[in-house]
Amino acid sequence: MTSKRLCFEPGHKPKCLVIVDDTAEWDRAVYYASRWAIRAGGGVVMLRIIEIEDQNQQWLGVADIMRAEAHEAAEAALDRAAGRANGIAAITPERLIREGAAMEQLLAVIDEDPDIAMLVLAASPGAEGPGPWVALLSYALGTFPVPVTIISGALSDGSVDSLA
């Protein structure tokens, strides 16, 4: 059960949640969310999810190295995305790194922060499909706890400016 949204209550402010992954289109989602934050007087939360595989005990040392490398890569990705958001809107987004199953972690983040007003994703403009998150969420949109805004990965900054 997702907690009640408080984003427009006194003492709260609405936030966009953006997933920063390894796809090319994450930039469009960050751009839209940052522009939206300016207009709405809100904030941006950037999430990177590290999916950890089941680890065999004898390989625990290797697993620890892999986890450390994944966290390092996550921090670097969030650094790039936060720099982009700051350049667009002069904001400092919140940054989260979570480990576990993607959908489970996404829903937990939304449940834990009642100020998250929407999830912003960008769809890949390529022929290979809309991207992993858009495809995954297409099955859950009818029951998702917050609105989901999907931005075309083909939109230019100017086009996004006129929409956000």
Side-chain angles (χ1 to χ4, degrees):
M1 181 71 180
T2 301
S3 61
K4 179 183 174 190
R5 304 288 93 199
L6 300 175
C7 50
F8 292 105
E9 299 291 325
H12 295 268
K13 70 176 183 176
K15 299 175 189 174
C16 280
L17 176 60
V18 178
I19 298 169
V20 177
D21 59 11
D22 293 326
T23 63
E25 57 269 10
W26 69 262
D27 178 73
R28 298 294 76 207
V30 167
Y31 193 92
Y32 180 89
S34 300
R35 296 292 300 167
W36 177 89
I38 293 170
R39 292 188 191 223
V44 175
V45 178
M46 295 182 173
L47 172 63
R48 177 73 174 218
I49 298 174
I50 300 170
E51 293 190 69
I52 302 297
E53 309 277 325
D54 287 338
Q55 297 159 353
N56 188 330
Q57 285 295 80
Q58 73 185 44
W59 297 106
L60 195 54
V62 173
D64 289 342
I65 292 169
M66 291 173 64
R67 176 176 277 128
E69 289 172 351
H71 273 271
E72 195 174 298
E75 288 290 350
L78 289 171
D79 285 346
R80 285 189 305 276
R84 180 78 165 124
N86 188 275
I88 295 162
I91 60 172
T92 301
E94 295 177 42
R95 300 159 43 128
L96 299 172
I97 298 174
R98 300 291 289 260
E99 289 184 19
M103 185 63 83
E104 182 181 303
Q105 293 305 314
L106 175 61
L107 291 171
V109 166
I110 293 169
D111 191 51
E112 293 164 10
D113 189 341
D115 290 341
I116 293 176
M118 80 171 85
L119 172 64
V120 178
L121 300 172
S124 171
E128 65 278 355
W133 280 103
V134 175
L136 179 64
L137 281 170
S138 67
Y139 297 102
L141 287 176
T143 59
F144 209 68
V146 296
V148 178
T149 300
I150 301 173
I151 303 302
S152 168
L155 291 176
S156 67
D157 288 355
S159 294
V160 174
D161 289 344
S162 66
L163 296 170

